[in-house]
Amino acid sequence: MSQSPAVDAGTRIGHVHLKVADLDRALGFYCGVLGFELMQRMGSGAAFISAGGYHHHIGLNTWESKGGSPPPPGTTGLYHTAILYPTRAALADALHRVVTAGIALDGASDHGVSEALYLRDPDENGVELYRDRPKEQWPFGSDGKLSMFTKRLDVEALLREREA
């Protein structure tokens, strides 16, 4: 298989839409716990939320899923939505919000290039909360290739970095 030219380096994933069973419950998590701002609500069918006043980073809807249950293990679909925080202190604040809300983490990892927290939203969708390290700090092997890894993230040390 021949390789196509690389996509433009400025390309980003702009937003995600999640099917949820209960819109109010989902808003309670994404806005009430994580702190996203409600930009627009369309009755009980959909809501659009963001960080910093953007039109929306996350769309939540019940159009095909009202009252539904999560897909069973062993099926295809979204593995997780990854939410990128700009600083370690901002990630620490997100962790504090999650812990204060009594939400359990599925995991917490140092990947060399990033630090990540893994959890589930009320609809059992995977959520990754992470921050990237500066590229100069990424691990590279002696061959010059990126050498990511997965190590346990010190969650207590991260919490201490939270700005009051």
Side-chain angles (χ1 to χ4, degrees):
M1 182 171 111
S2 65
Q3 175 116 8
S4 299
V7 67
D8 184 290
T11 302
R12 300 285 181 263
I13 295 174
H15 58 264
V16 63
H17 282 246
L18 299 174
K19 296 191 296 186
V20 300
D22 182 307
L23 189 59
D24 288 327
R25 183 179 69 184
L27 287 169
F29 174 76
Y30 287 99
C31 295
V33 174
L34 296 183
F36 282 88
E37 178 184 2
L38 178 64
M39 298 305 294
Q40 182 178 1
R41 183 168 179 155
M42 299 170 69
S44 63
F48 300 93
I49 63 176
S50 82
Y54 185 65
H55 56 80
H56 74 287
H57 289 104
I58 302 172
L60 304 165
N61 73 68
T62 60
W63 300 325
E64 299 175 0
S65 55
K66 188 169 187 158
S69 58
T75 59
T76 60
L78 182 69
Y79 185 72
H80 66 232
T81 299
I83 300 170
L84 176 61
Y85 290 83
T87 64
R88 193 163 203 262
L91 180 62
D93 181 66
L95 173 59
H96 176 76
R97 291 168 178 268
V98 166
V99 168
T100 300
I103 297 168
L105 293 178
D106 290 343
S109 299
D110 178 345
H111 296 297
V113 297
S114 64
E115 295 176 301
L117 307 168
Y118 300 96
L119 56 142
R120 303 248 159 223
D121 77 4
D123 290 287
E124 295 297 316
N125 293 308
V127 176
E128 175 184 0
L129 310 176
Y130 77 107
R131 72 106 185 178
D132 279 334
R133 286 194 169 91
K135 194 170 186 177
E136 308 80 58
Q137 295 177 11
W138 292 2
F140 290 93
S142 58
D143 60 0
K145 292 188 178 177
L146 189 60
S147 184
M148 295 189 333
F149 52 78
T150 300
K151 295 180 181 174
R152 183 179 93 49
L153 178 64
D154 185 342
V155 175
E156 293 303 320
L158 177 59
L159 271 177
R160 287 192 296 274
E161 297 229 6
R162 180 174 167 258
E163 293 177 357

